[in-house]
Amino acid sequence: MASKLKKFTNQNEKIYEFISTLKTWDSALEYCRQQHTDLAMIENSAENTRVFSVIPAGTIAWIGLYRLPWTWSDMSQSTFRNWLPRVPDNYGLNQFCAAENPKHYWDDQDCTAEFPFICCSLNSCSHYPLRKYYYIDMKKSWTDAQRYCRENYTDLATFESMDDINTLKPPYAYSWAWIGLSDNPQSWKGIMGSDANSWRWSASGETSKTGYQNWAVSEPNNSGGRETCVMTSTNGKWNDMPCQEPGSFVCYTGKKIFEFMDFISLFNVSGKDSLHVLTE
Ligand SMILES: [Ca+2]
Ligand SMILES: [Ca+2]
């Protein structure tokens, strides 16, 4: 028992969690980004051993490696590998994602196959540049706040993962504040995340690619039929509010992660040549 506890004394040490739900590789990625940080990134033999320790015996489980050539899901390219002999073999010419096999070697698999998977928590699980958020203690309407953020930062705040929200938690001292989410009043919908949904992020003009949402209980409710802009509260929960209401707001700087999700969606529809289109 003591040795198990000892594993978590290093705060930068990745925390791996086995998720038994069967998912395709990109669905597993989406889940991990919403609930944790990313699919498991394994950068050395010690991490490899820790991943093995959380997988039940005889189980295949997705990890965050995919063929671009082989790249981790945050688009980093550390070189540690644990392939089976004569693998990756790209059997059937459609194996672009990596999984731990039951004997704890890696095997390339069809990304659309459904397996359990390993999520990784903590920022050390992703080398992708994290967004930085800036709380602006001035009272502006949503549109004026958007203009201010676009002139001085990247845009009003975009949140696409639990990691983003955690960045804003105390000691970040702020009250209710506008974020970059708004709605087309002509097509109000209750829940973000489906194709029919109209909630858009200011920076992309599109609905969330990760599907991440963090509404407060019973929100959005379009109270009075005039709530089409979104504020976040001190606990990170969202509420739709009237856009004209003066409020403080949150701007952000940083790269967007949605180019990456666009890239992932190509897996199911195209050959590997077109996978290079969105790389930088
Ligand atoms: Ca294979
Ligand atoms: Ca509301």
Side-chain angles (χ1 to χ4, degrees):
M1 204 60 192
S3 65
K4 280 198 171 179
L5 290 172
K6 202 174 152 192
K7 287 198 295 191
F8 300 104
T9 54
N10 181 349
Q11 293 194 335
N12 292 320
E13 195 167 78
K14 298 179 179 72
I15 295 173
Y16 296 108
E17 184 172 338
F18 176 78
I19 311 294
S20 60
T21 313
L22 303 183
K23 287 184 182 294
T24 61
W25 189 88
D26 55 345
S27 294
L29 173 72
E30 188 175 321
Y31 177 95
C32 291
R33 282 192 172 273
Q34 288 177 24
Q35 304 295 329
H36 301 273
T37 299
D38 213 323
L39 267 173
M41 178 202 287
I42 304 167
E43 299 183 280
N44 55 55
S45 61
E47 291 180 355
N48 195 45
T49 301
R50 296 205 346 264
V51 166
F52 186 41
S53 72
V54 303
I55 303 178
T59 304
I60 297 175
W62 289 125
I63 59 174
L65 192 67
Y66 65 102
R67 188 194 299 273
L68 186 62
W70 293 103
T71 302
W72 293 100
S73 53
D74 70 338
M75 303 201 115
S76 66
Q77 294 189 308
S78 69
T79 54
F80 177 80
R81 297 288 184 266
N82 189 40
W83 296 115
L84 276 165
R86 296 181 297 281
V87 160
D89 56 2
N90 197 15
Y91 183 79
L93 300 179
N94 65 351
Q95 297 192 320
F96 298 107
C97 294
E100 291 260 352
N101 85 342
K103 292 198 159 41
H104 183 49
Y105 285 103
W106 301 355
D107 184 17
D108 53 345
Q109 293 274 3
D110 179 348
C111 303
T112 62
E114 296 188 330
F115 296 125
F117 51 98
I118 313 293
C119 293
C120 185
S121 298
L122 291 185
N123 286 345
S124 57
C125 298
S126 174
H127 299 309
Y128 206 90
L130 297 174
R131 294 191 176 98
K132 283 187 182 159
Y133 296 99
Y134 303 87
Y135 173 71
I136 312 297
D137 194 13
M138 295 191 277
K139 302 291 187 197
K140 291 183 182 295
S141 69
W142 187 90
T143 305
D144 288 346
Q146 180 191 49
R147 183 180 306 120
Y148 181 93
C149 289
R150 287 180 171 177
E151 286 172 355
N152 297 284
Y153 300 89
T154 299
D155 210 319
L156 269 171
T158 298
F159 302 99
E160 293 192 298
S161 71
M162 201 59 208
D163 246 18
D164 289 344
I165 295 290
N166 287 338
T167 309
L168 267 182
K169 282 184 175 166
Y172 203 102
Y174 66 102
S175 58
W176 282 91
W178 292 123
I179 61 173
L181 198 60
S182 70
D183 192 23
N184 177 348
Q186 306 308 317
S187 56
W188 189 83
K189 300 288 192 306
I191 302 170
M192 190 172 81
S194 69
D195 287 344
N197 192 280
S198 52
W199 292 99
R200 309 278 164 173
W201 286 108
S202 175
S204 64
E206 295 180 0
T207 53
S208 172
K209 288 294 195 297
T210 64
Y212 182 75
Q213 51 182 298
N214 201 36
W215 296 105
V217 175
S218 304
E219 302 291 347
N221 63 353
N222 195 21
S223 176
R226 58 194 194 103
E227 298 193 325
T228 56
C229 294
V230 177
M231 280 191 170
T232 184
S233 71
T234 49
N235 64 5
K237 295 293 183 183
W238 305 344
N239 186 351
D240 54 344
M241 306 279 276
C243 301
Q244 290 309 314
E245 193 158 302
S248 49
F249 51 100
V250 183
C251 304
Y252 85 99
T253 57
K255 204 166 166 179
K256 305 161 194 151
I257 65 170
F258 27 81
E259 302 96 337
F260 167 72
M261 298 304 293
D262 287 338
F263 162 77
I264 295 305
S265 68
L266 290 173
F267 269 134
N268 298 336
V269 296
S270 58
K272 64 180 174 182
D273 284 343
S274 52
L275 292 180
H276 292 274
V277 170
L278 293 171
T279 59
E280 295 177 11

